[in-house]
Amino acid sequence: MHSDEITFTGTGGEALAGTLDRPDKEPEGYALVAHCFTGGRNHHATRRIARELCERGLAVLRFDFTGLGDSGGRFAESTFSSNVADIVRAADWMRSEHGAPQLLVGHSLGGAAVIPAAPRIPEVAAVATIGAPSDPAHVTHLFEEVLDEVERDGRADVVLGGRHLKVSQAFVDDLQAFDPMGAAAGLERPLLVMHSPQDEVVELDNARDIFRSARHPKSFIALDGADHLLRRAVDSRRVAQLVAAWADPYLPETFTPGID
């Protein structure tokens, strides 16, 4: 596997940092992985999922959303909608430089974001979510202690995942305005919903709501024993292997998991 560090221009004009993981042979397809809320492209789960997909023949792009990791811009000026738009921007970069993604994979809030992003990327043939909230506004419980301050002052400082960030009222308003069930119903792509019954951050009912809203073909896999962040390497590897096997019929005909 080879990894190239790349940059592309985000929705707000900022430089977004990404890593393109490529198999040792000619890629048999392309995938894009959206990280969990504040996690970054080098979050252990994002990195492991990309590696496993890469070892199965796909070239995989993972990137940092605005104001996170090595990407430019300010997190306080980003919104859920801008994150969705930046997934589309990332796909545009892949299309122009290598090949457009046929598979989108999103973890947590990244999972909620890939659903509305997919219809804006014509080449996407399949979408997989991991521990995704059915309502992106669900993440506000992570900083509910400062919501009054956000409403009063327009923004507030929070610590999320060990990062010091500013959360804006625009970010909160955008989360609350999004129609997640409508996005799932209008996906028009095969959808794989993966969720742990033991998820301590996003309850299993979220997976039920996404699954019920989406149209067939759709599948659900319970990640029994995994936590929300997939801290155990065995869980993130299992996720990638399951995604690759499930996506096989929807990807280019040359893509055959585990067979050279």
Side-chain angles (χ1 to χ4, degrees), residues 6-25:
I6 65 97
T7 60
F8 63 94
T9 303
T11 305
E14 67 279 6
L16 299 184
T19 301
L20 182 68
D21 298 313
R22 297 182 292 110
D24 292 331
K25 58 183 180 180

Side-chain angles (χ1 to χ4, degrees), residues 5-208:
E5 300 304 309
I6 65 97
T7 60
F8 63 94
T9 303
T11 305
E14 67 279 6
L16 299 184
T19 301
L20 182 68
D21 298 313
R22 297 182 292 110
D24 292 331
K25 58 183 180 180
E26 186 69 20
E28 297 168 348
Y30 293 87
L32 195 161
V33 179
H35 63 73
C36 60
F37 185 46
T38 78
R41 77 187 193 280
N42 289 318
H43 183 269
H44 58 269
T46 305
R47 191 175 62 251
R48 288 170 186 155
I49 290 169
R51 182 187 304 123
E52 289 291 330
L53 292 174
C54 187
E55 290 180 358
R56 283 175 166 256
L58 294 175
V60 184
L61 177 66
R62 46 191 166 95
F63 72 96
D64 293 329
F65 285 117
T66 299
L68 298 175
D70 298 318
S71 285
R74 297 180 180 179
F75 180 82
E77 296 175 357
S78 69
T79 62
F80 180 75
S81 294
S82 70
N83 287 345
V84 172
D86 284 338
I87 291 172
V88 178
R89 288 284 189 123
D92 290 342
W93 179 88
M94 294 180 73
R95 183 185 300 108
S96 65
E97 298 294 330
H98 298 278
Q102 296 101 7
L103 172 65
L104 296 186
V105 182
H107 183 195
S108 190
L109 192 62
V114 296
I115 293 175
R120 298 167 60 180
I121 307 169
E123 297 87 350
V124 168
V127 178
T129 68
I130 308 152
S134 58
D135 183 352
H138 182 282
V139 303
T140 60
H141 83 278
L142 297 175
F143 48 86
E144 59 187 355
E145 71 280 359
V146 300
L147 285 177
D148 289 341
E149 183 182 347
V150 171
E151 184 175 2
R152 184 185 68 244
D153 301 333
R155 62 183 59 193
D157 294 313
V158 296
V159 178
L160 297 171
R163 300 173 186 266
H164 292 266
L165 302 170
K166 286 187 182 292
V167 173
S168 69
Q169 186 64 49
F171 182 83
V172 174
D173 290 344
D174 189 67
L175 287 174
Q176 294 173 339
F178 180 66
D179 177 16
M181 298 303 95
L187 178 60
E188 298 183 350
R189 268 89 169 164
L191 174 66
L192 172 62
V193 178
M194 310 181 77
H195 213 108
S196 170
Q198 295 83 25
D199 194 316
E200 74 288 4
V201 177
V202 180
E203 297 82 2
L204 185 61
D205 285 350
N206 287 265
R208 177 202 62 195

